[in-house]
């Protein structure tokens, strides 16, 4: 570690955040190589030089992506605040603007692509679920159940992995019968401050019925308060591995852990569900713009997108 005169509390924080420790070591090595031995000597000009050096080095060494640039920016600002105290908004904005100015042409030349999970017809997903249930391996059976949940409720795989038996229920209301799975914590609700649930309207003519899949799974696992997939030590990486094996066996495109969520969101747009209901159903924060991100990411080349609607109204058409 390069930084001289490091305060004890800074060292303790860096030990708790390995990525920040790595970033601190990196900027320290750069400054030391340029003859600076004391943090108090560093000004904005030195930081600008480091930004250019680091981003150009990253672009040569690996594939630069927007997320890598954002992580670099976040780490740099946190390190500056650790050593210099709270930064003014003007200073932070200036650094962000300089990072964007350096990174933009590098990103234009980068070969990164925005990854998005493919969507699938539920009839094809049902075929995969059946194949997974026919496997003698419990891990494959577990993935069948997870697919039945993600493709009918829009759940994340991580949400499924936290389900426990006592939080699975059905509710009969004047609007019909619903599967309800209470979710205590989630990506956007890490401390369980707000109640959340996965919800699916049940009917006799369902292509995929999550209730029957969950019931079948609960019959073959011990009855306890542990997460229902803990017996097979399931995680997102393992789910995706099993789905790739299924795709090879069935000769189809591989479903990913997030495919169910994307498929449900497409269906919400096609059903013309209002934005507030979409946000609640997908369990995003109330002030989110994620519904717009997904709309742009998955729906532009469909009948929902503006391009199709322009065409449908004879824009740029010879009449």
């Amino acid at each position: 570690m390069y930084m001289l005169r490091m305060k004890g509390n800074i060292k303790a924080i860096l030990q708790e955040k390995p990525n920040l420790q790595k970033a601190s070591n990196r900027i320290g090595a750069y400054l030391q190589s340029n003859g600076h031995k004391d943090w108090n000597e560093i000004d904005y000009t030195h930081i600008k030089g480091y930004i250019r050096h680091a981003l150009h080095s990253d672009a040569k060494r690996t594939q630069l992506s927007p997320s890598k640039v954002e992580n670099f920016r976040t780490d740099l600002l946190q390190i500056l605040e650790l050593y210099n105290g709270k930064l003014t908004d003007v200073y932070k904005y200036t650094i962000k603007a300089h990072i964007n100015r350096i990174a933009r042409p590098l990103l234009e030349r980068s070969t990164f692509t925005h990854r998005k999970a493919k969507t699938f017809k539920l009839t094809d997903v049902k075929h995969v679920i059946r194949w997974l249930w026919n496997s003698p391996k419990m891990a494959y059976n577990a993935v069948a159940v997870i697919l039945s949940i993600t493709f009918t409720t829009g759940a994340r795989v991580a949400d499924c992995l936290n389900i426990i038996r006592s939080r699975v229920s059905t509710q009969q209301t004047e609007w019909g019968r619903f599967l309800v799975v209470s979710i205590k914590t989630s990506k956007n609700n890490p401390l369980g401050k707000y109640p959340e649930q996965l919800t699916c309207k049940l009917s006799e003519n369902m292509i995929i019925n999550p209730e029957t899949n969950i019931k079948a799974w609960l019959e073959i696992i011990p009855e306890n308060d542990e997460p229902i997939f803990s017996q097979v030590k399931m995680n997102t990486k393992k789910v995706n591995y099993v789905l790739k094996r299924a795709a090879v066996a069935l000769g189809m495109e591989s479903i990913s852990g997030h495919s169910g969520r994307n498929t449900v969101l497409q269906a919400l747009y096609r059903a013309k569900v209002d934005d507030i209901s979409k946000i609640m159903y997908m369990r995003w924060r109330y002030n989110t713009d994620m519904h717009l991100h997904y709309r742009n990411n998955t729906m532009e080349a469909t009948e929902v997108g503006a391009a199709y609607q322009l065409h449908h109204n004879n824009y740029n058409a010879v009449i």
Side-chain angles (χ1 to χ4, degrees):
M1 178 64 198
Y2 151 70
M3 299 299 180
L4 300 180
R5 303 181 184 179
M6 180 186 291
K7 296 179 181 177
N9 60 335
I10 295 178
K11 187 174 182 179
I13 290 171
L14 293 178
Q15 287 175 343
E16 290 293 319
K17 299 179 69 101
N19 288 341
L20 204 58
Q21 175 77 75
K22 184 178 178 180
S24 180
N25 290 346
R26 188 183 185 191
I27 187 171
Y30 167 82
L31 294 172
Q32 189 176 41
S33 69
N34 283 273
H36 304 292
K37 299 186 180 297
D38 192 323
W39 186 257
N40 293 322
E41 301 173 5
I42 307 307
D43 59 24
Y44 176 63
T45 302
H46 302 118
I47 300 303
K48 283 178 62 178
Y50 170 69
I51 290 170
R52 173 174 288 278
H53 165 79
L55 290 178
H56 277 273
S57 296
D58 287 347
K60 291 178 182 178
R61 180 173 50 85
T62 185
Q63 185 171 280
L64 201 63
S65 68
S67 61
K68 289 179 180 177
V69 174
E70 287 183 347
N71 290 338
F72 170 80
R73 183 180 67 195
T74 300
D75 289 345
L76 177 59
L77 289 173
Q78 288 182 350
I79 290 167
L80 291 175
E81 288 205 326
L82 277 175
Y83 287 102
N84 294 343
K86 186 170 179 59
L87 305 176
T88 66
D89 290 342
V90 172
Y91 192 79
K92 286 191 286 188
Y93 174 81
T94 304
I95 288 176
K96 289 178 182 179
H98 187 68
I99 290 174
N100 291 346
R101 190 158 50 247
I102 299 298
R104 184 174 179 179
L106 298 175
L107 289 169
E108 286 287 355
R109 295 194 294 271
S110 176
T111 57
F112 85 90
T113 56
H114 290 288
R115 292 181 296 175
K116 60 181 180 181
K118 292 182 172 65
T119 58
F120 291 84
K121 294 179 180 179
L122 294 189
T123 49
D124 293 333
V125 178
K126 183 177 182 179
H127 189 43
V128 177
I129 290 173
R130 185 181 296 115
W131 185 87
L132 291 167
W133 267 119
N134 286 335
S135 171
K137 298 179 179 179
M138 282 191 71
Y140 283 44
N141 305 156
V143 175
V145 182
I146 290 169
L147 279 190
S148 77
I149 298 169
T150 60
F151 274 90
T152 57
T153 69
R156 304 176 183 89
V157 170
D159 298 326
C160 298
L161 300 182
N162 288 326
I163 294 173
I164 62 174
R165 185 186 293 262
S166 61
R167 295 182 193 146
V168 180
S169 65
T170 57
Q171 294 181 9
Q172 182 69 44
T173 73
E174 61 182 293
W175 296 280
R177 190 161 165 270
F178 294 82
L179 171 72
V180 176
V181 181
S182 297
I183 298 293
K184 203 162 193 179
T185 63
S186 69
K187 180 180 178 181
N188 293 325
N189 188 27
L191 299 180
K193 186 177 180 181
Y194 309 103
E196 293 186 12
Q197 66 182 48
L198 307 175
T199 313
C200 176
K201 173 71 171 63
L202 300 171
S203 66
E204 296 296 327
N205 64 336
M206 301 180 77
I207 299 171
I208 298 172
N209 188 322
E211 181 190 24
T212 57
N213 279 271
I214 293 173
K215 279 185 174 180
W217 178 253
L218 294 180
E219 288 176 1
I220 62 175
I221 63 170
E223 190 168 341
N224 55 42
D225 287 330
E226 295 296 315
I228 63 175
F229 300 111
S230 60
Q231 186 173 345
V232 289
K233 298 179 180 179
M234 190 58 64
N235 55 45
T236 301
K237 185 176 180 180
K238 194 171 182 179
V239 169
N240 286 326
Y241 168 78
V242 172
L243 289 173
K244 286 179 181 178
R245 294 294 298 270
V248 171
L250 295 170
M252 61 181 290
E253 283 191 289
S254 181
I255 297 173
S256 77
H258 218 62
S259 291
R261 194 164 171 82
N262 282 8
T263 300
V264 168
L265 188 61
Q266 275 198 357
L268 291 174
Y269 269 105
R270 288 196 164 110
K272 298 182 179 179
V273 174
D274 64 272
D275 283 350
I276 292 177
S277 297
K278 282 199 287 284
I279 290 168
M280 295 292 291
Y281 193 72
M282 302 302 285
R283 294 171 300 107
W284 289 313
R285 292 188 180 94
Y286 73 94
N287 60 347
T288 187
D289 60 1
M290 286 299 292
H291 59 300
L292 301 178
H293 164 75
Y294 274 84
R295 164 67 178 75
N296 177 64
N297 205 27
T298 64
M299 300 296 291
E300 276 303 277
T302 72
E303 79 281 8
V304 174
Y308 177 85
Q309 294 183 50
L310 283 172
H311 167 76
H312 187 69
N313 283 279
N314 297 319
Y315 177 75
N316 195 25
V318 177
I319 301 176

